[in-house]
């Protein structure tokens, strides 16, 4: 028996990365592979209580719109 995935097809075609503070990065898997670099870096200048590692995201494109 084959499952009907029509209702969730759009969600299956997106990769989502979530961070604290309600921050999300969502894109098609192809864009993640070709245009987005995610790396963990030392948290230079982190204050007490902040994580000792941060995430650096590089997107090889310009912002199109901002709300």
């Amino acid at each position: 028996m084959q499952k009907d995935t029509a209702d969730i097809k759009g969600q299956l075609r997106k990769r989502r990365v979530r961070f604290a503070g309600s921050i999300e990065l969502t894109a098609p898997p192809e864009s993640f592979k070709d245009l987005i670099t995610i790396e963990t870096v030392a948290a230079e200048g982190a204050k007490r209580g902040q994580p000792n590692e941060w995430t650096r995201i590089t997107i090889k494109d310009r912002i199109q719109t901002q709300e």
Side-chain angles (χ1 to χ4, degrees), residues 17-48:
V17 179
R18 292 183 181 156
F19 300 88
S22 299
I23 297 170
E24 292 185 17
L25 176 63
T26 305
E30 303 83 32
S31 295
F32 263 93
K33 186 179 105 186
D34 299 334
L35 300 174
I36 300 171
T37 304
I38 300 175
E39 58 187 318
T40 301
V41 297
E44 295 180 26
K47 297 178 182 173
R48 178 174 246 147

Side-chain angles (χ1 to χ4, degrees), residues 25 35-37 57-62:
L25 176 63
L35 300 174
I36 300 171
T37 304
I57 300 171
T58 304
I59 301 173
K60 300 171 193 160
D61 204 349
R62 293 183 166 195

